[in-house]
Amino acid sequence: MWGYFLAMITDDAIFSQLESECQRLDRSTSSHWQNYLVGFRYHQGQFESAGLPEGGGVPKCSPMKTAVHSILQTPFKIKGFGFRGYRDFIRFAEELHRRRGTTMDLATFRQVLTLSLLDDCVAIRKMRDPIVVIGDGFGVFASLIFSSRGNSQGKIVVVNLTQNLLVDAVYLKIGLPDVRMCLVKSATDYINALRDDRFDVVLVQADNYAVIGSGPIGMAVNIVSMQEMELDVIRGYFDVIRSSSNNSTYFYCCNREEKTLIGGSVIRFNDYPWDADDKTIFDEICPWHKYYYDQHFPFYHSYDGSIRHKLAILRKV
């Protein structure tokens, strides 16, 4: 047992290892992230770059501003009341942001609504096989899944570009001080980590994403980050999800119907490698990604393109 344990990277070594690799970009980094990761830097718990994913929360603000956020979130709260598990998830989210010292923002609220929907549809909290989160933002989705079910169920796997994975890992630890993580580099280490009850969360760098196909996947989740990948990378993720070792794997995908990357590539939701033999549970414009709010009149603003979400059981290969 200890032979494979030594091959994994655990505890504080995760942060130093990822930080040491942040000066290079993953091979799969799209033109979008080549631009947004310019100047990426991590120092004493603070991150800098041209742009980071949403999900960090709003810096702690005055009671008045907190109240304004709460009021502007009302349309999203109304949507949440239609789900059985919404009150549980919103409580976990509020506690998570309390620990992080931030005010809950719209990005987290959307994660709450997504989890509430998935729990109603497929009881995501009770899944025994690993849940794979591809491109989490500040570790929010993984944190909420862990908070909702603890370590009594299967593993949570977080896959991301090296820089963003460091962000995920840091914020996972801030919000969940007792969470037990490991970073793996090979399929062998990945399988061993899934079997090892000392770990709750398995971290995988994007260049090593193929390792997730070597084990079971109960559900894979991607929220507004496949739209920032090149199509060949998207195909690669579909391939490894389809090749996972269990008989049935759900995939929840929420992304723009069309997005043009900085390098000129046009990424379309319908061009993703869906299969006629996939079993679709729902496929629609996402109700909580139709608009966003800010504190300037008229407060609510539409996005410059539709965002679609789809839940399917993928055909296995």
Side-chain angles (χ1 to χ4, degrees):
M1 179 177 73
W2 290 106
Y4 73 71
F5 176 75
L6 291 173
M8 298 175 193
I9 302 167
T10 63
D11 303 322
D12 290 342
I14 292 172
F15 308 110
S16 57
Q17 179 68 35
L18 290 174
E19 187 177 2
S20 72
E21 297 183 32
C22 279
Q23 298 310 307
R24 67 169 183 82
L25 295 177
D26 294 69
R27 295 185 303 276
S28 55
T29 305
S30 68
S31 59
H32 173 92
W33 282 108
Q34 288 174 22
N35 180 67
Y36 278 98
L37 288 173
V38 168
F40 182 91
R41 183 170 176 264
Y42 172 61
H43 181 65
Q44 295 181 347
Q46 299 295 315
F47 292 95
E48 297 177 13
S49 78
L52 287 170
E54 287 186 290
V58 181
K60 207 66 177 177
C61 47
S62 69
M64 178 62 74
K65 287 187 177 180
T66 300
V68 169
H69 273 285
S70 181
I71 292 168
L72 291 173
Q73 289 168 358
T74 298
F76 301 93
K77 294 176 184 177
I78 292 170
K79 289 180 173 63
F81 292 140
F83 301 115
R84 292 190 301 271
Y86 166 74
R87 288 174 176 81
D88 288 339
F89 286 115
I90 200 69
R91 186 176 72 253
F92 299 139
E94 289 168 348
E95 175 62 18
L96 176 66
H97 280 282
R98 186 191 67 78
R99 291 176 180 169
R100 291 182 175 189
T102 55
T103 298
M104 187 164 63
D105 59 4
L106 182 54
T108 298
F109 221 107
R110 286 178 172 143
Q111 308 281 40
V112 167
L113 292 171
T114 297
L115 280 167
S116 301
L117 170 64
L118 295 177
D119 207 44
D120 270 14
C121 288
V122 295
I124 189 172
R125 282 187 279 186
K126 296 181 180 179
M127 283 189 177
R128 304 293 300 182
D129 285 331
I131 296 172
V132 176
V133 185
I134 302 166
D136 204 350
F138 285 78
V140 171
F141 199 90
S143 295
L144 293 179
I145 283 287
F146 181 82
S147 298
S148 70
R149 64 180 196 166
N151 56 8
S152 60
Q153 303 293 332
K155 296 288 192 294
I156 301 165
V157 180
V158 180
V159 186
N160 218 332
L161 297 171
T162 297
Q163 294 81 0
N164 290 338
L165 190 63
L166 176 59
V167 176
D168 290 336
V170 168
Y171 277 87
L172 272 162
K173 201 65 177 176
I174 293 171
L176 304 169
D178 296 328
V179 74
R180 302 167 300 174
M181 300 184 292
C182 66
L183 173 67
V184 300
K185 298 277 191 176
S186 69
T188 299
D189 290 346
Y190 180 73
I191 291 299
N192 287 331
L194 294 184
R195 294 171 177 168
D196 196 318
D197 60 11
R198 289 172 295 181
F199 305 119
D200 309 309
V201 176
V202 182
L203 305 174
V204 179
Q205 289 160 276
D207 276 355
N208 301 325
Y209 75 86
V211 304
I212 66 175
S214 57
I217 300 174
M219 178 182 287
V221 175
N222 181 268
I223 301 175
V224 295
S225 67
M226 276 193 165
Q227 64 191 32
E228 297 161 356
M229 301 178 188
E230 298 291 350
L231 192 55
D232 62 332
V233 176
I234 295 171
R235 292 192 185 104
Y237 275 107
F238 270 75
D239 288 345
V240 297
I241 295 168
R242 292 187 189 281
S243 68
S244 56
S245 60
N246 53 328
N247 293 326
S248 181
T249 294
Y250 292 93
F251 182 36
Y252 175 79
C253 183
C254 178
N255 283 277
R256 286 184 185 267
E257 290 193 298
E258 181 175 307
K259 181 169 183 174
T260 302
L261 303 187
I262 291 170
S265 301
V266 180
I267 308 302
R268 298 183 178 91
F269 192 94
N270 286 337
D271 289 343
Y272 295 3
W274 306 106
D275 189 281
D277 290 330
D278 294 339
K279 182 179 178 180
T280 300
I281 297 168
F282 60 76
D283 181 6
E284 62 182 9
I285 300 301
C286 182
W288 40 90
H289 275 93
K290 290 181 178 179
Y291 53 88
Y292 64 96
Y293 71 79
D294 61 26
Q295 297 181 39
H296 304 286
F297 185 84
F299 307 118
Y300 299 98
H301 312 275
S302 298
Y303 286 104
D304 59 351
S306 299
I307 298 176
R308 191 165 204 88
H309 71 167
K310 180 173 181 174
L311 177 64
I313 301 174
L314 297 190
R315 177 185 64 84
K316 290 290 185 169
V317 295

